[in-house]
């Protein structure tokens, strides 16, 4: 009976250690995946868009083709005529970018002074990477790369795994101190100092995870939240309004499932859409899941 209990407890301990090592390896792999992933550069998006236009132009079956998405994320018209071929490249990208902004927007306002290319909404030039990034969130010094449209989801999962690993390690430290600490507490001073550092790190990671979860649910970025008054297309929008939010469920879907393409850009909401977002919630809105 005692041998059976010993074997059972030993198997549980080994399984516990295996799960901990699995989480550690997963967090390490996620770190390298996130650090090596592209945040979604505007220049790459422009080249992809122009290549697609070139393919459509060479098609002999159609003289005119219009590419669009359901939410207005990507729209462009390609003409197979001689004038259409001449409008490919920089001018076709400029026309497409202008469709994301209100009529009458000056091209000078949209052109990056460093890259000399037109920026779609929510894009920003990163001085550390020296490139314009789609849906720029921030430049992560720890990862050595920008966080943007292409890798924000991977970044969230990395923070989640690091937070879970930090919590699990803290539990192991506390368990060790409970079982091995003696009357002379100074003998375990190093372990106590490590535990205090781990608690501080866990609080930081947890707050960072909650902050980015809030950004995901409201479809915002760190740059838009911190620099809201300095961003031109957000100046006239009330503070409590999230202009790019499509509802919690759709925001989660777009963040987790629809962010693989760097061309999944969003246009600025119209005045009617902003008025609809400002409309107070009613009982009917709750039943129809307006917030989702």
């Amino acid at each position: 009976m005692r041998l059976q209990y010993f074997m059972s407890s030993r198997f549980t301990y080994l399984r516990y250690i295996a799960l901990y090592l699995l989480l550690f390896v997963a967090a390490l792999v996620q770190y390298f995946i996130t650090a090596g992933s592209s945040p979604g550069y505007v220049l790459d998006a422009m080249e992809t868009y122009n290549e697609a236009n070139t393919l459509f132009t060479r098609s002999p079956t159609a003289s005119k083709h219009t590419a669009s998405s359901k939410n207005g994320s990507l729209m462009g018209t390609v003409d197979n005529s001689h004038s259409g071929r001449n409008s490919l490249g920089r001018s076709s990208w400029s026309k497409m970018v202008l469709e994301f902004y209100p009529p009458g927007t000056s091209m000078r306002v949209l052109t990056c002074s460093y890259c000399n290319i037109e920026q779609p909404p929510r894009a920003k030039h990163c001085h550390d990477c020296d490139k314009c990034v789609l849906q720029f969130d921030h430049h992560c010094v720890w990862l050595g790369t920008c966080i943007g449209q292409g890798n924000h989801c991977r970044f969230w999962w990395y923070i989640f795994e690091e937070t879970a690993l930090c919590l699990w390690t803290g539990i192991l430290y506390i368990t060790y101190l409970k079982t091995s600490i003696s009357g002379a507490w100074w003998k375990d001073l190093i372990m106590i100092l490590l535990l205090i550092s781990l608690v501080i790190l866990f609080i930081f990671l947890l707050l960072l995870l909650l902050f980015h979860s809030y950004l995901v649910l409201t479809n915002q970025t760190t740059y838009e939240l911190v620099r809201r008054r300095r961003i031109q297309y957000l100046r006239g929008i009330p503070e409590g309004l999230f202009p790019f939010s499509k509802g919690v469920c759709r925001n989660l879907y777009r963040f987790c499932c629809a962010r693989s393409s760097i061309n999944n850009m969003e246009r600025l909401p119209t005045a009617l859409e902003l008025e609809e977002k400002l409309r107070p919630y009613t009982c009917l809105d709750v039943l129809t899941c307006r917030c989702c």
Side-chain angles (χ1 to χ4, degrees):
M1 186 69 179
R2 183 177 297 178
L3 179 61
Q4 184 179 2
Y5 173 76
F6 173 75
M7 293 298 293
S8 177
S9 60
R10 186 177 181 181
F11 176 75
T12 303
Y13 175 77
L14 292 175
R15 184 174 59 181
Y16 187 83
I17 294 298
L19 290 175
Y20 178 82
L21 292 176
L22 182 63
L23 179 60
F24 176 80
V25 173
L28 187 63
V29 171
Q30 189 66 33
Y31 169 83
F32 287 107
I33 290 176
T34 307
S37 60
S38 171
Y41 297 113
V42 176
L43 185 61
D44 294 337
M46 184 178 70
E47 291 177 354
T48 303
Y49 179 79
N50 292 337
E51 287 177 2
N53 278 350
T54 303
L55 292 176
F56 289 138
T57 305
R58 293 175 180 175
S59 176
T61 57
S63 61
K64 191 174 183 180
H65 181 84
T66 302
S68 63
S69 63
K70 293 181 180 179
N71 59 354
S73 297
L74 184 60
M75 294 184 296
T77 301
V78 181
D79 197 340
N80 254 356
S81 63
H82 185 266
S83 61
R85 291 190 180 93
N86 293 333
S87 66
L88 290 175
R90 192 66 172 273
S91 60
S92 61
W93 170 260
S94 302
K95 292 177 182 178
M96 189 272 293
V97 170
L98 279 176
E99 293 181 358
F100 293 120
Y101 291 90
T105 304
S106 174
M107 187 60 69
R108 292 183 179 180
V109 180
L110 311 180
T111 304
C112 174
S113 57
Y114 299 96
C115 300
N116 196 27
I117 57 177
E118 293 76 17
Q119 293 179 341
R122 314 190 75 180
K124 181 186 178 297
H125 183 86
C126 176
H127 295 281
D128 295 296
C129 299
D130 197 25
K131 291 182 180 180
C132 291
V133 179
L134 293 169
Q135 199 166 321
F136 175 83
D137 188 88
H138 71 285
H139 183 87
C140 183
V141 180
W142 175 249
L143 293 171
T145 185
C146 275
I147 304 301
Q149 187 182 74
N151 60 357
H152 199 178
C153 183
R154 296 186 181 96
F155 179 74
W156 187 93
W157 279 109
Y158 169 68
I159 300 175
F160 175 80
E161 292 172 5
E162 284 288 338
T163 305
L165 183 63
C166 191
L167 176 62
W168 201 337
T169 306
I171 293 174
L172 292 178
Y173 270 96
I174 293 174
T175 304
Y176 169 80
L177 291 174
K178 282 184 178 180
T179 56
S180 64
I181 195 167
S182 57
W185 60 269
W186 54 270
K187 293 182 179 180
D188 297 305
L189 181 60
I190 296 178
M191 294 294 294
I192 294 174
L193 292 177
L194 288 175
L195 179 60
I196 293 174
S197 302
L198 198 63
V199 170
I200 296 174
L201 180 61
F202 170 73
I203 293 174
F204 171 76
L205 288 173
L206 181 62
L207 292 176
L208 187 63
L209 179 65
L210 293 176
F211 173 71
H212 278 274
S213 299
Y214 167 74
L215 294 178
V216 172
L217 295 176
T218 54
N219 196 6
Q220 297 184 90
T221 63
T222 302
Y223 173 69
E224 290 174 343
L225 184 65
V226 175
R227 302 289 186 179
R228 185 177 181 116
R229 295 183 179 180
R230 296 180 58 181
I231 301 175
Q232 184 178 9
Y233 58 82
L234 294 178
R235 288 177 184 172
I237 299 177
E239 290 290 337
L241 184 64
F242 312 121
F244 298 103
S245 177
K246 304 294 189 301
V248 175
C249 296
R250 278 173 284 185
N251 290 340
L252 282 173
Y253 174 78
R254 286 178 59 85
F255 182 78
C256 299
C257 305
R259 293 292 171 139
S260 58
S261 173
I262 62 175
N263 294 324
N264 190 20
M265 295 175 287
E266 298 177 88
R267 63 175 177 80
L268 291 177
T270 63
L272 293 177
E273 291 173 342
L274 292 176
E275 290 180 4
E276 179 66 20
K277 291 178 183 292
L278 286 171
R279 184 171 58 85
Y281 283 91
T282 62
C283 296
L284 182 61
D285 292 328
V286 175
L287 294 176
T288 55
C289 298
R290 175 190 166 194
C291 60
C292 297

